[in-house]
Amino acid sequence: MTTTEGLTEGLLVPPGHGRVVEAPAQRVTFKVTGTHSRMASTFEVVVPPGFDVGAHVHTRSEELFYVLEGELDVLAFEPRVRTSDNWQTWESGSGNRVVRATPGTVIVVPPGCPHAFANPTDEPAKMFFQASPPPDHERYFEELLEILGNGGPPDHAAIEELRARYDIEQLTPLRHR
């Protein structure tokens, strides 16, 4: 585990900087990692048309999403019924439904809350994404994009094993064009 003890200077990451991991399914730029923060890892994520992360839940992680560009369908609630295929039709006990998030939309996901995002449009979307505690999402993104970068349809068995190691219970499948 990387430690932030002893750091005496802050971190400045200029626009366009940060370590990039990329596959046809996503482009993730690491902005703040566990090396510089005990609180959260921070990423800029480009979500291509047709990408659907699939509904999932974490028992320990808290996440924050802020849509910068484009549009995403987002879910952040416990549905009345968890169907195994199409989270876009889910509804909460209080009547909440999936929302089309546009620039400026913030989504906060506490531990234990099912959530998902998908880009149903023909244009890429960009979001600011923060996950706490670090560095689990850093490692997860590196390994996920390696799996997705192999070409062809996603290897669902490999993704399932990966997610189990990083506190991610997958409720519906990950999909991308």
Side-chain angles (χ1 to χ4, degrees):
M1 173 109 183
T2 305
T3 181
T4 57
E5 290 182 37
L7 291 179
T8 58
E9 294 186 14
L11 173 69
L12 175 80
V13 182
H17 288 78
R19 188 165 65 85
V20 175
V21 291
E22 188 169 12
Q26 267 187 331
R27 176 186 169 95
V28 178
T29 304
F30 292 47
K31 296 295 189 173
V32 180
T33 66
T35 302
H36 294 95
S37 175
R38 295 180 310 224
M39 302 304 290
S41 299
T42 304
F43 313 93
E44 183 179 272
V45 179
V46 176
V47 183
F51 181 82
D52 176 353
V53 73
H56 59 282
V57 66
H58 311 281
T59 59
R60 297 182 307 272
S61 296
E62 180 172 271
E63 297 178 335
L64 178 139
F65 302 89
Y66 183 91
V67 179
L68 298 168
E69 299 173 8
E71 297 181 355
L72 296 170
D73 285 347
V74 296
L75 160 83
F77 58 78
E78 180 65 53
R80 287 182 190 162
V81 178
R82 289 183 181 184
T83 57
S84 62
D85 189 49
N86 187 1
W87 60 266
Q88 285 92 342
T89 62
W90 289 4
E91 182 178 337
S92 75
S94 63
N96 286 330
R97 294 181 176 271
V98 170
V99 174
R100 178 67 53 95
T102 57
T105 303
V106 174
I107 304 100
V108 177
V109 182
C113 178
H115 57 287
F117 63 86
N119 183 349
T121 74
D122 292 327
E123 297 296 324
K126 185 186 291 185
M127 67 178 171
F128 171 91
F129 170 58
Q130 196 166 53
S132 177
D136 283 0
H137 265 76
E138 299 160 35
R139 295 178 184 141
Y140 170 73
F141 275 136
E142 290 168 339
E143 293 181 44
L144 175 64
L145 293 180
E146 186 176 308
I147 292 169
L148 296 177
N150 291 334
D155 179 343
H156 292 291
I159 293 169
E160 184 177 331
E161 186 276 328
L162 173 69
R163 288 184 168 200
R165 284 190 287 120
Y166 288 105
D167 182 38
I168 303 169
E169 178 188 354
Q170 193 68 29
L171 306 174
T172 66
L174 178 146
R175 296 182 172 103
H176 72 94
R177 290 183 198 158

